[in-house]
Amino acid sequence: MNQNSSCMVWKENHYEEIECEKTSPQMNAVPYNEAVFQLKKITKPDTLNFKNALDKVWYTKKNGEVEFFTNYGLHSENGKTLKPVTKYILTKYVLNNEQ
């Protein structure tokens, strides 16, 4: 696709590229941005540990739940800035999660 006419929309856990002309206001499409396009939600946070997550994973809290992402950026649904994962967050919400 020609990036001048490309947009992207969030689909469950990742962005998908779409032609801007084929979007509607309900789709919440944004202009294509390669860096943002790489952002993905981590759907299996139980696989995270200190070695593979520190300095490599970002998070945000949404409705009392913590969501983890593969890159820095803004949350696709609420626009909040994602924060870098810390040992505290990993320990509290992943490693010692007793829910």
Side-chain angles (χ1 to χ4, degrees):
M1 266 185 234
N2 179 346
Q3 289 190 352
N4 292 335
S5 64
S6 291
C7 286
M8 53 190 192
V9 293
W10 185 256
K11 297 283 187 170
E12 295 181 38
N13 63 357
H14 66 283
Y15 280 104
E16 290 185 2
E17 191 173 0
I18 188 170
E19 290 180 34
C20 292
E21 295 79 30
K22 295 183 178 180
T23 64
S24 67
Q26 297 84 3
M27 295 175 84
N28 294 323
V30 295
Y32 182 88
N33 178 308
E34 182 63 33
V36 176
F37 187 75
Q38 301 303 318
L39 180 72
K40 293 180 180 25
K41 182 177 175 183
I42 297 172
T43 58
K44 295 184 181 186
D46 59 327
T47 63
L48 298 175
N49 57 51
F50 292 137
K51 186 177 181 179
N52 70 10
L54 293 177
D55 298 322
K56 299 173 187 160
V57 173
W58 287 259
Y59 79 99
T60 190
K61 289 184 181 178
K62 178 183 168 192
N63 301 325
E65 298 285 321
V66 175
E67 295 181 334
F68 297 96
F69 294 85
T70 60
N71 207 347
Y72 171 80
L74 300 177
H75 191 279
S76 59
E77 297 168 348
N78 64 23
K80 288 186 178 180
T81 301
L82 301 178
K83 300 174 187 174
V85 162
T86 62
K87 287 182 180 181
Y88 172 80
I89 293 296
L90 275 177
T91 301
K92 182 173 182 179
Y93 294 101
V94 178
L95 304 176
N96 290 337
N97 192 351
E98 300 177 356
Q99 297 178 359

